[in-house]
Amino acid sequence: MSGGRGGREGDGTAALAAEAYVYGSPLVLALSAVESCLQQGFGVLAPTPFNSFAHAVRPAVPADNVANAAVDTVDAIAQLDLSGGPVGLHVPDTGGAYYALQFVDAWSGTFAYVGRRATGTGEGDWLIVPPGWSGTVPDVVTGVIDAPTSVVSLVGRIACDGPDDMPRVRALQQELTLTHLGAHAHRTGLPAPDSDVPEALRFFERLRVWMADFPPSAADRAYQDRFQPLGLLEEGASPYVSPGPGLLRALTQGLALGRVRVAEASHHQDDARYGAQDGAVTAPGAWAMNPHLFDHNLDHFGVGTISSPEWRIPDREASYLVRAVAARQALWGPHGYEAVCAHTRGDSRGRQLSGAHGYALRLGRPPPVEGFWSVTVYDVPGGHLVGNTADRYAIGDRTPGLVYAADGSLTLHLSRQRPTDPGRAANWLPAPAGDFRAVLRLHTPEQAVLDGSYVIPPIERLEGR
């Protein structure tokens, strides 16, 4: 009898550990990315210490070998540590050009924006302050950004029209600066988990240490109290250095269960048409888009955010799974009102897009955006840019020389070979030789995009090509 009861208790502990994975994986993923930025670099960006920007030196190219790289913006990323006090941010006047600086807390929740949509494009000085700060705000400060956690990821995207536009972008990068203003030195790294913890429990050790140093909102702290039996609330010496066999087994099982739960939810997101009814069957070639994937921050709404109900997940516990999916699929992604991505792998008959054929994307009405839009293609399954003789990797409303029809419509041509017709060649986006997918990025989309009333037409295969 006792063995059976112990099994059921073990099953319960494993289920609890799976909940802890769903709840805590965004924190672990986000802070692991922070560590990478500090120590190894991030994508093409060099390793950079706290409170300094890492800038991309050009738009993305195939040689970078970065999955899903955007080629019409240039990254400016900084990891902020506010443990020593506030940090000042200076932004230059971009002359109306699009840029966005997104502030993300340690739990992967976006809590503020500075940029064209949020605050305009004029010059400004912002004060980023740690939780509980009560100092004096200088008169010259444009505004205050209250950080929910003492470590913040500042994710910047500056619009760039290609290599010839980089001198302008570089000038903006030089004026985009951070200054540590605190009275005490800031950290040089993150709190370190116990290195003696076995590999199988490293996730839980990181979660334990980082939960203690970067506490969430009061409502989330009440929720995470349930994880006491797992040792996640233990202070001091790690309970995972020499765990009992029952705890080790339950945590290992729970970790696997949690990963499966998040993976299945991610696949569901991929298979469903975002914005349609949950799980709805859609037409072949429909573009997938989810403007509400990053609505999981329910507690902190600072400069540039929208706190109205349509941008908040109503069920807090349900938000944890959405948050885990968002961190897994697109860590540090923006809210839909700042930018959204639509993607498709199939043509209007549901056939996989392939460089063996030519395609047309007929936009009777260009995508309604206040910022800009562009289409990029990536290989499948890697999601990488593929080199082409034209060195063109995106096409959109800022592409010079586009040819519109007399009725104002625009037809884009996606193919491996350059079209012979001059009008088609002007609207040509080179495709790789093999299978590919298309991604439509919409910066500051209008309401018609967000509510689904604007439907992106499917890509049509051109017969005989």
Side-chain angles (χ1 to χ4, degrees):
M1 288 293 291
S2 61
R5 183 169 61 253
R8 287 193 295 273
E9 289 173 356
D11 291 343
T13 304
L16 188 64
E19 289 183 27
Y21 178 84
V22 172
Y23 172 79
S25 61
L27 176 70
V28 174
L29 284 171
L31 292 181
S32 295
V34 170
E35 276 194 330
S36 292
C37 288
L38 299 175
Q39 300 173 6
Q40 291 88 36
F42 192 76
V44 299
L45 301 177
T48 308
F50 275 128
N51 301 335
S52 298
F53 273 108
H55 290 293
V57 299
R58 52 167 169 69
V61 295
D64 295 334
N65 199 35
V66 175
N68 305 314
V71 299
D72 42 24
T73 57
V74 172
D75 290 337
I77 295 180
Q79 305 305 328
L80 310 184
D81 182 82
L82 307 172
S83 61
V87 169
L89 166 69
H90 177 79
V91 296
D93 186 340
T94 68
Y98 179 88
Y99 82 101
L101 300 179
Q102 176 186 349
F103 296 79
V104 189
D105 67 23
W107 290 84
S108 79
T110 297
F111 63 91
Y113 294 91
V114 169
R116 191 169 87 169
R117 177 200 61 82
T119 59
T121 61
E123 185 176 9
D125 290 281
W126 298 86
L127 189 68
I128 307 153
V129 303
W133 185 78
S134 58
T136 301
V137 177
D139 293 337
V140 296
V141 166
T142 306
V144 175
I145 296 173
D146 292 294
T149 54
S150 61
V151 163
V152 170
S153 296
L154 176 49
V155 183
R157 303 172 182 92
I158 304 172
C160 180
D161 292 337
D164 292 342
D165 192 31
M166 275 307 299
R168 178 191 67 86
V169 173
R170 285 195 192 97
L172 296 176
Q173 290 174 335
Q174 291 172 0
E175 294 186 63
L176 189 63
T177 59
L178 293 163
T179 305
H180 174 64
L181 301 175
H184 308 286
H186 60 75
R187 282 178 288 215
T188 58
L190 293 177
D194 193 320
S195 60
D196 291 332
V197 170
E199 181 64 32
L201 300 184
R202 290 284 175 84
F203 169 84
F204 292 105
E205 173 64 1
R206 287 190 161 208
L207 181 57
R208 181 188 75 89
V209 171
W210 289 341
M211 277 200 320
D213 273 75
F214 307 103
S217 66
D220 283 357
R221 285 199 297 272
Y223 177 85
Q224 72 184 28
D225 284 346
R226 70 182 62 199
F227 302 132
Q228 177 70 55
L230 303 177
L232 283 171
L233 305 184
E234 295 291 328
E235 299 180 359
S238 173
Y240 307 127
V241 172
S242 301
L247 180 61
L248 175 61
R249 182 170 56 251
L251 291 177
T252 304
Q253 292 174 350
L255 186 64
L257 289 171
R259 285 173 171 161
V260 168
R261 187 176 302 170
V262 175
E264 288 179 345
S266 299
H267 292 323
H268 176 72
Q269 295 268 11
D270 286 339
D271 293 339
R273 171 66 190 274
Y274 306 134
Q277 292 184 357
D278 188 33
V281 177
T282 59
W287 294 73
M289 180 174 65
N290 185 0
H292 296 287
L293 183 59
F294 300 97
D295 294 359
H296 48 76
N297 172 21
L298 307 181
D299 302 298
H300 305 288
F301 296 91
V303 174
T305 60
I306 300 175
S307 61
S308 53
E310 65 267 33
W311 297 106
R312 304 175 67 169
I313 296 173
D315 185 324
R316 181 172 293 271
E317 290 196 25
S319 76
Y320 300 142
L321 181 57
V322 175
R323 182 175 68 180
V325 170
R328 181 181 188 268
Q329 289 189 331
L331 184 66
W332 301 335
H335 286 95
Y337 50 77
E338 184 64 55
V340 292
C341 290
H343 60 90
T344 184
R345 292 188 179 190
D347 66 13
S348 58
R349 291 173 56 184
R351 298 168 295 192
Q352 170 67 51
L353 299 174
S354 168
H357 307 281
Y359 300 91
L361 174 58
R362 296 184 172 90
L363 301 170
R365 173 190 171 201
V369 295
E370 295 179 11
F372 64 93
W373 63 266
S374 67
V375 179
T376 308
V377 296
Y378 301 95
D379 69 3
V380 171
H384 296 97
L385 299 169
V386 176
N388 61 76
T389 57
D391 281 335
R392 175 181 281 187
Y393 302 103
I395 191 168
D397 57 0
R398 299 180 303 157
T399 302
L402 290 180
V403 176
Y404 290 79
D407 62 0
S409 63
L410 177 67
T411 300
L412 305 180
H413 292 272
L414 286 63
S415 62
R416 184 183 178 191
Q417 300 295 331
R418 180 186 181 93
T420 55
D421 177 80
R424 290 187 173 187
N427 297 356
W428 174 50
L429 179 61
D435 292 349
F436 66 90
R437 68 186 180 100
V439 174
L440 173 61
R441 289 184 170 86
L442 304 108
H443 293 265
T444 320
E446 295 182 1
Q447 184 60 30
V449 171
L450 299 175
D451 63 22
S453 57
Y454 175 81
V455 178
I456 307 167
I459 295 173
E460 301 172 9
R461 184 198 288 187
L462 301 177
E463 298 304 327
R465 299 185 64 199

